[in-house]
Amino acid sequence: MIAPDLRSVGGPVEPQGPVALERDDEAQATFDALIAAEQRIEPRDWMPDAYRKTLIRQISQHAHSEIIGMQPEGNWITRAPSLKRKAILMAKVQDEAGHGLYLYSAAQTLGITRDEMTQQLIDGKAKYSSIFNYPTPTWADMGAIGWLVDGAAICNQVPLCRASYGPYGRAMVRVCKEESFHQRQGFEILLTLMQGTPAQRQMAQDAVNRWYWPSLMMFGPPDDSSPNSAQSMAWKIKRFSNDELRQRFVSMLVPQAEILGVTLPDPELRWDDDAQEWHMSEIDWPEFFEVLAGRGPMNSVRLQNRRAAHDDGAWVREAAAEYARKQEERSLSLLNGAVA
Ligand SMILES: [Fe+2]
Ligand SMILES: [Fe+2]
């Protein structure tokens, strides 16, 4: 069945006087109707300013997280224990670059440029996921990141495939397919280590101990201290609350931890039959806010590396711009030749 088109008002609205006010109301009503009918908002549609700003912030932060997220694992590409492991890790890190690019493109449809977003990141003004500010001292970290960090990303991102903003939701579909490969490769690294020597098992457990709590923090603060969540849910950008997603994630981890033979580092973790949810220890929120504020163990290294990569890439941007200019010049002169 083809859904009825609810867009009676199209294009940008230029408010002027009482008539314009009426048009604004009409545009808002069309927007509300599209959201209520589970239809997508597209770049051509009118949207409230706050919706646009929320999306720019969320999508650009998401893109920055993918790009900065290449560093903790990129750190192990030259030291992967075999050619096969190296090829898999390289593919995974390249996927993350691709995720960053789809997301920057999605954010650009909302009226921000790639240059502006990059500048915000390298100036340290933009946020990215706090998880990438932790170090990766051992090979087992590649397993724990894939299993826990990409696993948490899947829980967060699968509902985003239905986000009300079209370009974001569509980008998420492919991202999620790749994330599930990432999660499995991490699980498989840990499984291999857990079937190895006592030292390898210890290394795997140690990595899980270090990544478990930061991965739970990836869902954001508890619902009662997450003031923007309700609005994002009303706009159908977000479909589940932070705590709901965290619960889902733990439900996914518990049986997998059993197969791996690792212990999740929370002595209070148990299923609460009355509350129908996982009971867990209090998350260290002061640590979360410290890392988010730029005072995590690796924040300054991540940003320094990003800035250096940006500077080193200046010649590529210049060459691409010059090539585009020449192409345009050529097609113009061809066109002029055809006219003459
Ligand atoms: Fe990703
Ligand atoms: Fe990933």
Side-chain angles (χ1 to χ4, degrees):
M1 194 187 91
I2 297 170
D5 194 354
L6 300 168
R7 293 172 180 83
S8 55
V9 179
V13 178
E14 293 157 30
Q16 273 173 359
V19 178
L21 264 184
E22 230 167 75
R23 282 171 63 197
D24 256 4
D25 288 349
E26 211 180 315
Q28 176 76 52
T30 306
F31 173 85
D32 293 342
L34 285 169
I35 297 281
E38 295 283 334
Q39 287 194 28
R40 288 239 150 110
I41 307 298
E42 297 296 340
R44 64 172 183 262
D45 293 325
W46 180 92
M47 61 190 84
D49 238 19
Y51 178 81
R52 186 187 297 276
K53 281 191 186 136
T54 298
L55 280 167
I56 289 179
R57 196 188 59 235
Q58 179 170 339
I59 302 173
S60 63
Q61 282 178 8
H62 193 164
H64 299 327
S65 303
E66 302 283 356
I67 298 298
I68 295 286
M70 295 166 74
Q71 292 186 36
E73 289 164 292
N75 177 36
W76 275 92
I77 290 175
T78 55
R79 293 177 290 159
S82 70
L83 184 60
K84 184 182 126 193
R85 292 290 184 203
K86 188 187 192 113
I88 295 171
L89 189 60
M90 262 169 53
K92 197 241 180 203
V93 173
Q94 282 176 350
D95 282 353
E96 306 300 5
H99 298 174
L101 299 188
Y102 311 149
L103 288 160
Y104 282 129
S105 301
Q108 281 174 266
T109 66
L110 291 156
I112 186 167
T113 66
R114 176 88 177 268
D115 280 349
E116 284 173 284
M117 289 184 275
T118 304
Q119 203 57 46
Q120 288 170 357
L121 177 63
I122 59 181
D123 285 348
K125 288 183 186 148
K127 291 210 167 11
Y128 56 85
S129 180
S130 59
I131 193 85
F132 301 117
N133 292 317
Y134 291 89
T136 46
T138 72
W139 171 251
D141 288 274
M142 301 304 98
I145 290 183
W147 183 46
L148 296 169
V149 178
D150 292 277
I154 292 169
C155 283
N156 253 331
Q157 293 172 11
V158 165
L160 286 175
C161 296
R162 294 190 293 126
S164 57
Y165 188 59
Y168 193 29
R170 287 189 289 273
M172 278 302 116
V173 174
R174 177 161 173 186
V175 167
C176 283
K177 284 186 182 149
E178 293 176 346
E179 292 304 349
S180 49
F181 149 65
H182 299 171
Q183 202 252 357
R184 278 161 206 214
Q185 66 87 38
F187 182 87
E188 203 261 338
I189 289 174
L190 289 179
L191 190 64
T192 306
L193 289 172
M194 289 305 289
Q195 289 164 351
T197 64
Q200 286 172 318
R201 285 202 292 278
Q202 182 50 45
M203 184 166 75
Q205 180 64 55
D206 169 68
V208 169
N209 292 349
R210 284 181 290 106
W211 290 94
Y212 177 74
W213 289 108
S215 74
L216 290 189
M217 293 175 193
M218 284 173 71
F219 298 94
D223 293 346
D224 50 19
S225 48
S226 178
N228 299 327
S229 276
Q231 180 60 76
S232 274
M233 284 173 81
W235 278 328
K236 296 184 181 166
I237 298 172
K238 208 176 153 81
R239 299 283 178 159
F240 300 99
S241 76
N242 296 354
D243 288 330
E244 280 171 337
L245 291 168
R246 207 171 353 253
Q247 285 282 328
R248 277 184 179 207
F249 179 54
V250 172
S251 302
M252 186 183 94
L253 290 186
V254 168
Q256 293 182 1
E258 224 163 277
I259 296 169
L260 287 173
V262 294
T263 308
L264 297 176
D266 180 2
E268 286 193 34
L269 184 65
R270 62 179 164 80
W271 176 251
D272 181 340
D273 220 18
D274 296 333
Q276 285 293 297
E277 61 175 31
W278 292 98
H279 170 80
M280 44 185 110
S281 311
E282 180 70 20
I283 293 176
D284 186 351
W285 292 115
E287 175 184 315
F288 171 75
F289 288 112
E290 274 294 287
V291 178
L292 205 61
R295 292 185 286 273
M298 298 297 281
N299 288 59
S300 60
V301 173
R302 301 291 182 238
L303 275 187
Q304 265 169 30
N305 287 342
R306 185 65 197 86
R307 278 188 204 116
H310 187 69
D311 292 346
D312 290 349
W315 70 271
V316 179
R317 291 190 298 279
E318 279 161 24
E322 182 57 16
Y323 180 72
R325 193 191 62 77
K326 279 189 182 156
Q327 290 289 95
E328 204 183 324
E329 210 175 70
R330 193 166 306 155
S331 59
L332 268 179
S333 69
L334 278 178
L335 201 68
N336 286 340
V339 171

